[in-house]
Amino acid sequence: MEENSRLERLVEAGKAVIPPLTLLSALLFYFGYVSARSQYEYFGVDVDTIGLGTQDYIMRSPQPLLTPLLVFAAAGAGSVAVHSAVRRRIHPAASARTVRRMRRLGRGGQVAGLACLAGGLLLLLGYLILRDWRLYGLVTPLLIAAGCTLSGAGSALGRLLRPPVPATPFRRTSTALVYLVVAVSAFWMTATVAQWSGRGLAMDQANRLGKLPSVILDTKESLFLRSPGIQETKLPPSEGQTFHYRYRHLRLLIHGKDRMFLVADNWSASNSTIIVPLDGSVRVQFQFQNQPP
């Protein structure tokens, strides 16, 4: 109960410094940005050149956050259930055998937590060597968070089995640091999942480019496009005609603030993304889908 009250005081102090709505908006924006950056990086586009706004990134955040939120919710519900079960077994009339089991459980949690924490710290120290490992951004914070959680739970269980003593400043500081490390590790894991989610969306999109809006592009000069499959046609000259070339088999990847990003309708490793400014220098037509109404 004492640790819960301390946590509540920390949360209340955080609310006084950063309003919850501002913090939530900042987190949604960040994870939406990480996911979008990874998604369009697959097509060779720096997301900052698209010109998406804050609302656009926030609207993109539910997809990468869905899995982490479900995992964290399940982990929180499981920890509450375990805590309640342990508290029910620890009471003044508990047998000596039960107390010994609880003590062994607490020591086991501490040992397992320290082992996980040591593994996470070793991975952290080996960042320069292991940074290219695909699972590094998930395994490292997971081990650190699990280590701190198990070690803290084991210590808390041990304190429940001893006579209550006043909390020392060192213990309060160490508890706050444990909460901070777990929060940072959860943030790191979620950012990694958001990055993977963005790359997965990009690969799924590349596998189904035919589902994107079909575009016919007219230009004044030849673009000398290299992506295979794009058809270039020279328009017949006529009076007042300023557009001389027509391009087919293009798809709209995304529409930015004042430009469009087009790709070929079939994926190839040699494809490139075309940036088309919406300033009157080009003429764009969007084709109907072939499926009749």
Side-chain angles (χ1 to χ4, degrees):
M1 295 297 293
E2 184 180 354
E3 289 190 3
N4 290 337
S5 63
R6 284 203 303 272
L7 178 59
E8 290 174 0
R9 288 198 297 270
L10 288 173
V11 172
E12 292 299 327
K15 288 181 180 179
V17 177
I18 305 176
L21 185 58
T22 302
L23 178 61
L24 178 62
S25 299
L27 289 175
L28 292 177
F29 171 83
Y30 175 77
F31 293 124
Y33 176 83
V34 169
S35 177
R37 186 176 187 83
S38 179
Q39 178 180 359
Y40 293 107
E41 187 179 47
Y42 183 81
F43 295 97
V45 178
D46 186 347
V47 72
D48 294 328
T49 65
I50 299 176
L52 298 177
T54 301
Q55 185 178 1
D56 298 314
Y57 290 121
I58 291 178
M59 294 295 291
R60 291 171 177 268
S61 61
Q63 173 73 24
L65 286 180
L66 181 60
T67 299
L69 287 178
L70 290 175
V71 172
F72 293 150
S79 63
V80 170
V82 171
H83 179 76
S84 300
V86 170
R87 290 300 296 264
R88 284 196 301 269
R89 300 198 64 176
I90 300 176
H91 52 83
S95 64
R97 185 178 180 181
T98 300
V99 172
R100 286 195 300 269
R101 285 180 177 176
M102 292 296 103
R103 284 176 178 168
R104 285 198 298 268
L105 180 62
R107 286 194 293 268
Q110 287 181 293
V111 171
L114 291 175
C116 290
L117 185 58
L121 292 178
L122 286 175
L123 290 175
L124 196 61
L125 292 174
Y127 171 75
L128 293 177
I129 301 174
L130 301 172
R131 60 184 176 182
D132 293 331
W133 180 32
R134 186 172 181 272
L135 298 178
Y136 181 85
L138 183 66
V139 174
T140 303
L142 180 61
L143 286 176
I144 294 175
C148 290
T149 302
L150 289 173
S151 181
S155 300
L157 181 57
R159 286 194 297 270
L160 288 174
L161 297 172
R162 295 192 298 267
V165 294
T168 62
F170 174 78
R171 201 173 91 188
R172 287 195 293 266
T173 303
S174 62
T175 301
L177 287 175
V178 167
Y179 289 139
L180 178 62
V181 170
V182 172
V184 172
S185 299
F187 182 87
W188 186 359
M189 284 187 288
T190 306
T192 301
V193 173
Q195 186 178 10
W196 289 357
S197 175
R199 180 54 61 94
L201 287 172
M203 296 177 72
D204 180 68
Q205 204 170 27
N207 192 45
R208 297 188 294 177
L209 289 174
K211 299 293 185 180
L212 298 178
S214 180
V215 175
I216 298 175
L217 177 66
D218 294 343
T219 64
K220 298 179 181 179
E221 298 178 350
S222 175
L223 300 180
F224 299 100
L225 299 180
R226 299 169 53 190
S227 298
I230 297 179
Q231 179 185 355
E232 179 187 270
T233 305
K234 194 169 183 178
L235 298 175
S238 61
E239 184 178 356
Q241 175 68 268
T242 58
F243 298 98
H244 305 293
Y245 293 90
R246 172 163 293 176
Y247 295 91
R248 295 179 181 271
H249 303 296
L250 291 170
R251 299 283 174 169
L252 176 63
L253 178 64
I254 187 172
H255 182 275
K257 184 178 180 181
D258 55 358
R259 65 196 69 180
M260 295 190 306
F261 295 79
L262 308 179
V263 294
D265 58 5
N266 286 307
W267 185 90
S268 171
S270 59
N271 278 0
S272 57
T273 301
I274 309 164
I275 303 178
V276 178
L278 300 177
D279 57 1
S281 61
V282 297
R283 184 170 59 194
V284 177
Q285 302 176 56
F286 289 94
Q287 287 184 286
F288 282 6
Q289 293 188 7
N290 291 331
Q291 182 180 2

